[in-house]
Amino acid sequence: MTDLSRLCIHTETVKPLTIEEVARKYRIHGIPAVSVWRHTLNDRDPVKVGDMLRGNGLNIASLVRGGFFPSTEAGKRKKSIEENKKAIEEASALGAPLLVQVCGADPGQVLNESVNQIYEALVELVPFAEQYQIKLGIEPLHPMYSDTRSAINTLKQANDLVEQLDPGWLGVVIDVYHTWWDPSLKEEIFRCGRMNKIFAFHICDWKVPTENMLLDRGLMGEGCIPIRQIWNWIILAGFDGPVEVEIFSEKYWAMDQDNYIELIKESFVRNV
Ligand code: ZN
């Protein structure tokens, strides 16, 4: 990729910045789009934050994140549905077309039971999302997170869920960090494309060695993920949305964030 027109950067990638700083710095650095993590809204009015971001020339790709449905306790499952309804309302107020779903898992029960609970939760949630015209994107997570973060660990599982439920507002978020290892990735990307269900595409890199399971993601080109190859499959599958840089890294959060944004731009142009 030779230009930055499809670049989007998650607020969590530049975690030390407030949402106001994100708006100003992205404008100065020529970043055209943002995905907003819910905690950056804090007590702010999402309508005003949305206006502020758009006023700085930014497209809002998504609100991150809902989900975390399974629990051995029925009360907690009910609470998570309520929390997700709140997140859908927030996405609507912000003007974000998509709510990313990290589906969750409870280590107190087998994964299949968590998958069943995710299915039941989505059956309840999708009509609510439809009312607000907010898309829900299931993001499969790497199996190392299947203890507490997601019982949906492959793109095939996410595609299967979408196919079973089959509503227009439910689709898939494909993140290279979580899916690059999967031998059926290519065919499942094309399957997802045929269903017209690729809702978003996230990138970063898998460092070798990875020193922290959660907070040591690399810049593009810094690890072993064939990002450009996967991106080509995504394009061939018909996706025409932004490429979202989502990096959790204590190392990069400790840097000057202006210098870091420049590094993101360089590595994006070179490796995507
Ligand atoms: Zn992601």
Side-chain angles (χ1 to χ4, degrees):
M1 182 167 290
T2 51
D3 66 60
L4 302 175
S5 61
R6 287 177 87 162
L7 173 60
C8 170
I9 304 178
H10 282 229
T11 56
E12 196 69 356
T13 300
V14 287
K15 192 179 177 183
L17 303 180
T18 64
I19 193 75
E20 290 80 14
E21 289 170 328
V22 163
R24 191 168 53 82
K25 287 185 189 295
Y26 283 19
R27 174 169 50 76
I28 292 167
H29 289 277
I31 311 299
V34 61
S35 272
V36 177
W37 280 57
R38 287 187 75 198
H39 65 83
T40 63
L41 295 173
N42 213 352
D43 279 331
R44 295 167 176 84
D45 175 356
V47 173
K48 285 186 183 152
V49 172
D51 288 343
M52 187 264 298
L53 293 170
R54 281 182 293 274
N56 279 275
L58 287 167
N59 282 323
I60 303 171
S62 66
L63 181 67
V64 192
R65 59 198 182 181
F68 294 97
F69 301 116
S71 172
T72 54
E73 295 170 42
K76 285 191 181 166
R77 295 200 297 275
K78 206 168 162 226
K79 244 191 179 155
S80 97
I81 299 270
E82 293 314 309
E83 190 56 36
N84 275 275
K85 286 182 175 172
K86 240 170 80 182
I88 288 166
E89 288 169 348
E90 265 174 34
S92 170
L94 186 69
L98 168 69
L99 177 66
V100 174
Q101 297 283 306
V102 171
C103 289
D106 187 329
Q109 63 193 11
V110 296
L111 284 170
N112 268 346
E113 187 53 31
S114 287
V115 172
N116 290 339
Q117 291 173 357
I118 290 164
Y119 179 90
E120 283 163 18
L122 288 170
V123 165
E124 195 176 334
L125 210 56
V126 166
F128 189 83
E130 187 173 3
Q131 269 178 44
Y132 283 85
Q133 309 229 314
I134 296 296
K135 292 191 281 186
L136 302 179
I138 299 169
E139 180 169 1
L141 257 51
H142 190 283
M144 72 177 172
Y145 300 121
S146 57
D147 53 352
T148 56
R149 286 193 174 79
S150 188
I152 305 298
N153 305 112
T154 64
L155 183 51
K156 180 181 185 305
Q157 280 180 297
N159 282 339
D160 287 349
L161 255 184
V162 168
E163 201 173 65
Q164 283 162 30
L165 284 159
D166 197 42
W169 295 91
L170 188 67
V172 178
V173 174
I174 301 173
D175 186 324
V176 298
Y177 191 75
H178 298 299
T179 58
W180 68 277
W181 57 273
D182 184 347
S184 59
L185 180 60
K186 183 180 175 185
E187 68 182 80
E188 290 296 331
I189 285 175
F190 285 116
R191 177 182 167 207
C192 196
R194 282 194 300 276
M195 295 192 289
N196 207 12
K197 291 296 191 182
I198 304 175
F199 281 2
F201 180 56
H202 295 176
I203 60 167
C204 65
D205 214 337
W206 185 285
K207 286 171 68 182
V208 183
T210 291
E211 286 165 12
N212 180 313
M213 280 168 72
L214 191 61
L215 304 178
D216 191 30
R217 295 190 186 188
L219 272 169
M220 294 73 76
E222 206 179 353
C224 60
I225 300 179
I227 298 169
R228 186 166 279 163
Q229 179 180 64
I230 298 172
W231 173 230
N232 281 332
W233 295 338
I234 297 273
I235 294 171
L236 288 171
F239 179 70
D240 62 359
V243 183
E244 305 184 32
V245 177
E246 184 189 36
I247 299 172
F248 314 148
S249 164
E250 281 170 335
K251 178 185 145 194
Y252 290 118
W253 289 334
M255 266 184 75
D256 175 277
Q257 297 295 287
D258 283 298
N259 293 341
Y260 176 33
I261 292 171
E262 283 304 313
L263 282 182
I264 292 171
K265 286 162 67 177
E266 280 170 36
S267 70
F268 185 85
V269 170
R270 225 177 311 122
N271 297 287
V272 180

